[in-house]
């Protein structure tokens, strides 16, 4: 029988919180940065070195803005935790390849300054900072944010040829027949990191493998987009694009794997997460099909971000023995 003193030494009692692993915010954030590398590589391959320039400018501007706000507020400097890098990368990946550098700087300043630091910093922001920066640029430079160029493919081998995105062709010209493989690989016009579905999926699956994202969020969002768009497609396949189109076009994949899954701006309860992604997915399809803009992913996520506090409050699980609302 084990001696009482030796057994007691193995029983460690301490106040909460109880950390059971070596996870940390910088480790999680830098893993997300690593998961974005396939999308970054695809953007450089299809759109050239200007893609890397825009990504570098956005990341640098986000880091500088975060540093400035933390110095002004006399807060500890935490620009190395990786969160500002993620905001810069995601913002850049939502921009057209020909977007001006000064606009990328302004969008980064707004994303970090207004979208994150004015709320109190990491963990206190209501809206996804990168999407808020993209919404600001959309309102400030509506033409520049909707002007895309053809990708630099081996066949075409030319730069700066303006072209409509598949979403714009479907919205304004009624085209519903597309090359699915080109859309899957990223060989279409569009924003830097949104065109290559396979690159985004690789990064998203890596995050799932590491256990940093909940499977309900990306699959619920994409599943809702597919199911809801199927209703319209089945009713009139000549007028409405197929569900596969909605999944591969625009920012659906990037939003599903890297924005809907944002730990800060998504619900914490299981029921709340389902409501969040189902409503956001339906909203994205409605905006795409009936709104004035060809894309609806950005606004669908930002709109549902506003309801996250309510979802967390009203979908809390019952506490055993504490009544209906705990």
């Amino acid at each position: 029988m084990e001696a009482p003193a030796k057994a007691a030494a193995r029983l460690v009692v301490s106040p909460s919180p109880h950390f059971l692993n070596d996870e940390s915010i910088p480790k999680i954030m830098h893993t997300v940065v690593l998961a974005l590398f396939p999308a970054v590589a695809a953007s450089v391959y299809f759109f050239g070195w200007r893609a890397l320039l825009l990504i570098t400018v956005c990341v640098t501007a986000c880091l500088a803005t975060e540093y400035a706000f933390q110095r002004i507020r006399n807060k500890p400097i935490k620009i190395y935790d990786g969160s500002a890098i993620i905001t810069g990368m995601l913002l850049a990946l939502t921009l057209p390849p020909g977007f001006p550098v000064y606009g990328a700087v302004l969008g980064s300043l707004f994303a970090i300054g207004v979208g994150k630091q004015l709320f109190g910093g990491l963990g206190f922001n209501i809206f996804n900072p990168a999407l808020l920066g993209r919404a600001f640029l959309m309102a400030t430079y509506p033409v520049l944010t909707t002007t895309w160029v053809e990708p630099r493919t081996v066949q075409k081998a030319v730069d700066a040829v303006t072209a409509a995105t598949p979403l714009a062709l479907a919205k304004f010209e009624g085209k519903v027949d597309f090359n699915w493989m080109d859309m899957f690989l990223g060989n279409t016009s569009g924003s830097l990191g949104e065109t290559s579905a396979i690159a985004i999926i690789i990064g998203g699956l890596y995050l799932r493998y590491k256990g940093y994202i909940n499977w309900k969020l990306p699959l619920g969002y994409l599943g809702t987009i597919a199911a809801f768009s199927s209703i319209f497609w089945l009713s009139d396949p000549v007028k409405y694009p197929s569900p596969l189109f909605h999944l591969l076009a625009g920012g659906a994949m990037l939003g599903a794997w890297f924005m809907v899954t944002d730990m800060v701006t998504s619900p914490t309860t299981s029921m709340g997460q389902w409501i969040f992604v189902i409503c956001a997915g339906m909203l994205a399809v409605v905006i795409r099909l009936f709104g004035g803009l060809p894309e609806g992913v950005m606004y669908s996520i930002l709109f549902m971000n506003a309801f996250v506090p309510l979802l967390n409050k009203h979908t809390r699980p019952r506490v055993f023995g504490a009544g209906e609302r705990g």
Side-chain angles (χ1 to χ4, degrees):
M1 184 175 177
E2 195 171 25
K6 188 176 180 180
R10 293 183 176 181
L11 180 62
V12 179
V13 179
S14 63
S16 62
H18 303 285
F19 293 100
L20 302 178
N21 53 45
D22 60 348
E23 301 293 353
S24 64
I25 291 177
K27 182 180 179 182
I28 295 173
M29 294 298 172
H30 288 119
T31 303
V32 177
V33 171
L34 185 62
L36 283 169
F37 269 41
V40 170
S43 69
V44 174
Y45 175 77
F46 287 113
F47 298 109
W49 293 108
R50 181 164 179 76
L52 190 59
L53 172 64
L54 282 177
I55 294 169
T56 304
V57 167
C58 285
V59 170
T60 304
C62 283
L63 288 171
T65 304
E66 181 135 293
Y67 177 82
F69 269 83
Q70 289 175 346
R71 284 295 300 267
I72 293 171
R73 298 173 60 212
N74 291 321
K75 297 291 184 181
I77 304 300
K78 296 182 178 180
I79 62 173
Y80 303 108
D81 65 9
S83 60
I85 298 176
I86 294 174
T87 300
M89 293 177 73
L90 287 176
L91 175 62
L93 292 175
T94 65
L95 297 177
F99 198 74
V101 170
Y102 67 86
V105 173
L106 286 177
S108 302
L109 196 156
F110 191 90
I112 294 295
V114 178
K116 185 177 176 183
Q117 290 298 328
L118 283 188
F119 287 97
L122 181 63
F124 296 95
N125 53 293
I126 299 175
F127 300 100
N128 184 295
L131 285 179
L132 208 59
R134 180 63 168 78
F136 167 76
L137 293 177
M138 187 72 187
T140 309
Y141 306 109
V143 176
L144 293 175
T145 50
T146 54
T147 302
W148 292 275
V149 298
E150 287 278 15
R152 286 194 326 162
T153 61
V154 177
Q155 291 78 15
K156 296 167 185 172
V158 291
D159 283 329
V161 177
T162 58
T165 64
L167 280 172
L169 291 172
K171 180 76 177 181
F172 302 116
E173 299 184 19
K175 181 180 179 181
V176 294
D177 183 24
F178 295 92
N179 187 318
W180 305 122
M181 186 54 66
D182 279 348
M183 295 179 67
F184 182 68
L185 296 177
N187 192 23
T188 61
S189 58
S191 300
L192 290 180
E194 296 179 346
T195 59
S196 179
I198 181 62
I200 298 169
I201 292 172
I202 291 173
L205 291 178
Y206 175 67
L207 288 181
R208 177 57 196 150
Y209 166 74
K210 298 292 290 184
Y212 292 156
I213 60 175
N214 189 324
W215 63 269
K216 298 188 187 83
L217 296 170
L219 292 187
Y221 187 67
L222 294 174
T224 300
I225 289 177
F228 196 53
S229 62
S230 295
I231 299 175
F232 299 95
W233 178 62
L234 291 173
S235 66
D236 190 350
V238 177
K239 182 179 180 181
Y240 298 109
S242 71
L244 185 59
F245 169 85
H246 282 284
L247 294 178
L248 298 179
M253 285 293 173
L254 189 67
W257 290 101
F258 288 96
M259 294 171 178
V260 168
T261 55
D262 182 11
M263 296 179 180
V264 178
T265 58
S266 61
T268 56
T269 65
S270 179
M271 180 60 72
Q273 290 170 351
W274 281 118
I275 297 174
F276 178 80
V277 292
I278 290 173
C279 291
M282 293 175 66
L283 193 57
V285 174
V286 169
I287 294 174
R288 282 183 171 185
L289 296 181
F290 306 107
L293 298 172
E295 178 60 288
V297 170
M298 175 181 70
Y299 291 112
S300 73
I301 298 174
L302 284 176
F303 184 80
M304 289 309 300
N305 282 163
F307 289 92
V308 168
L310 289 176
L311 292 174
N312 285 334
K313 177 181 179 181
H314 294 288
T315 59
R316 287 181 301 176
R318 293 177 56 186
V319 177
F320 181 73
E324 185 176 353
R325 287 295 176 191

